[in-house]
């Protein structure tokens, strides 16, 4: 869930989520029949609590999942003004999180947590015309480049040298600069998360009107220089619930080791206390 229009002030889902989280138990989502998306076959749906799982997910080397939600922001970071965490990624055992602050923020922040639990933060001062929104973090397969996104209708994805893993990345405490961005050949709406499937392809979860997964094909692997990206629709994300209203597509993860793609969908109120995690396999 990205914060809309400035920080979307605790946003639509957050306002209702905290009100309903104390309700006795989560309502079960209605069962739906698995449907085949072009190129991807749906294999099942699981559910996680939205307070700790509605913002995104990432697969660990052992196949287990890391989840992020509104309640996942550590207290010290929340006190420091970093109130929103986006869709995470894990690369070579390091967890990458994207954080944003309030309406008056002039920076965004990336936190990198080492396998031993040590967390290091890296701040990026907003460039001219850059939005404060920080929807997600995903790392290229060679672990050298961090890709991130803003909000609304955009024609780019941002690229940074991956902190810790890329030798060209600055030390903590100095500004993390942008590298060459990914220029998209058509606008994309409300990107909640992206993940690489290989060096030149990303799948991205869009919370635009169609609630779909988009595929971005790069003209070459990231190398720090600007690169063009071709955008194509992959498939719509199923909207299934016993509750009626507006759904919100959320984080996305591709487990390359197991060939499993997962996409999150938050149902309407009052069912939004649980988030659906829909799994796919290629073919």
């Amino acid at each position: 869930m990205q914060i809309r229009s400035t920080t979307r002030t605790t946003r639509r889902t957050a306002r209702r989520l905290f009100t309903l989280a104390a309700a006795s138990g989560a309502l079960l989502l209605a069962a739906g029949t698995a449907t085949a998306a072009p190129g991807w076959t749906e294999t099942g749906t699981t559910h996680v609590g939205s307070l700790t799982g509605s913002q995104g997910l990432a697969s660990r080397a052992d196949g287990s999942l890391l989840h992020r939600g509104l309640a996942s922001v550590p207290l010290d970071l929340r006190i420091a003004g970093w109130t929103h965490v986006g869709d995470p990624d894990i690369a070579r055992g390091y967890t990458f999180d994207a954080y944003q602050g309030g309406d008056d923020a002039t920076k965004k922040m990336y936190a990198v947590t080492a396998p031993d639990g040590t967390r290091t933060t890296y701040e990026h001062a907003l460039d001219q015309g850059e939005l404060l929104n920080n929807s997600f973090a995903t790392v290229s397969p060679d672990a050298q480049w961090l890709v991130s996104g803003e909000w609304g209708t955009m024609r780019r994805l941002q690229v940074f040298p991956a902190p810790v893993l890329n030798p060209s990345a600055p030390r903590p405490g100095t500004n993390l600069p942008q590298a060459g961005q990914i220029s998209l050949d058509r606008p994309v709406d409300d990107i909640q998360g992206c993940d690489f499937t290989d060096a030149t392809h990303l799948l991205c979860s869009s919370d635009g009107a169609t609630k779909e997964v988009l595929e971005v094909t790069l003209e070459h692997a990231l190398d720090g220089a600007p690169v063009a990206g071709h955008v194509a629709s992959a498939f719509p994300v199923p909207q299934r619930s016993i509750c009626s209203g507006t759904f919100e597509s959320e984080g996305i993860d591709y487990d390359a080791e197991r060939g499993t793609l997962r996409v999150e969908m938050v149902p309407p109120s009052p069912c939004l206390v649980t988030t659906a995690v829909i799994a796919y396999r290629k073919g």
Side-chain angles (χ1 to χ4, degrees):
M1 286 166 219
Q2 186 41 242
I3 296 176
R4 295 181 170 81
S5 71
T6 66
T7 53
R8 206 170 80 185
T9 11
T10 56
R11 77 165 99 173
R12 180 187 70 228
T13 302
R15 288 195 304 265
R16 291 174 289 175
L17 204 76
F18 281 111
T19 302
L20 294 164
S24 57
L27 292 177
L28 294 177
L29 301 183
T33 302
T35 56
W40 292 93
T41 300
E42 186 180 340
T43 59
T45 299
T46 58
H47 300 92
V48 296
S50 292
L51 278 176
T52 54
S54 65
Q55 298 300 303
L57 72 169
S59 51
R60 300 183 178 95
D62 64 3
S64 63
L65 296 177
L66 168 75
H67 295 278
R68 289 290 187 253
L70 296 171
S72 300
V73 179
L75 181 60
D76 61 328
L77 296 184
R78 191 177 295 277
I79 291 173
W82 303 110
T83 56
H84 176 271
V85 63
D87 189 24
D89 198 13
I90 298 174
R92 299 190 179 175
Y94 290 83
T95 300
F96 288 76
D97 283 299
Y99 284 91
Q100 71 185 55
D103 291 349
D104 58 350
T106 58
K107 298 179 180 181
K108 56 186 63 171
M109 187 268 282
Y110 299 92
V112 183
T113 304
D116 65 3
T118 303
R119 186 182 69 222
T120 309
T121 60
Y122 298 81
E123 295 184 359
H124 164 70
L126 300 182
D127 293 321
Q128 182 71 31
E130 180 181 356
L131 299 182
L132 60 85
N133 305 84
N134 203 11
S135 303
F136 66 90
T138 189
V139 180
S140 57
D142 64 3
Q144 295 300 290
W145 305 102
L146 171 67
V147 177
S148 190
E150 297 158 284
W151 190 246
T153 301
M154 304 299 297
R155 296 199 69 143
R156 69 173 184 180
L157 298 175
Q158 296 177 278
V159 181
F160 303 86
V164 179
L165 301 178
N166 187 327
S168 70
R171 299 185 311 274
T174 58
N175 184 56
L176 179 65
Q178 290 195 67
Q181 68 184 21
I182 299 170
S183 296
L184 305 176
D185 64 356
R186 71 172 173 90
V188 295
D189 292 326
D190 299 342
I191 299 300
Q192 298 277 34
C194 292
D195 206 0
F196 283 88
T197 56
D198 60 38
T200 57
H201 294 86
L202 301 98
L203 290 174
C204 300
S205 172
S206 167
D207 190 45
T210 52
K211 315 289 185 191
E212 63 182 331
V213 170
L214 303 173
E215 184 172 50
V216 178
T217 302
L218 306 180
E219 62 180 0
H220 59 74
L222 296 180
D223 58 8
V227 60
H230 170 67
V231 180
S233 296
F235 57 88
V237 184
Q239 302 176 49
R240 306 186 189 111
S241 177
I242 59 173
C243 299
S244 60
T246 301
F247 290 75
E248 187 166 10
S249 59
E250 278 295 347
I252 188 168
D253 175 74
Y254 180 66
D255 183 344
E257 180 68 24
R258 296 159 188 84
T260 300
L261 174 69
R262 295 179 175 91
V263 188
E264 292 186 323
M265 180 66 81
V266 180
S269 176
C271 295
L272 54 75
V273 292
T274 58
T275 294
V277 180
I278 307 166
Y280 301 85
R281 290 188 66 85
K282 191 76 172 180

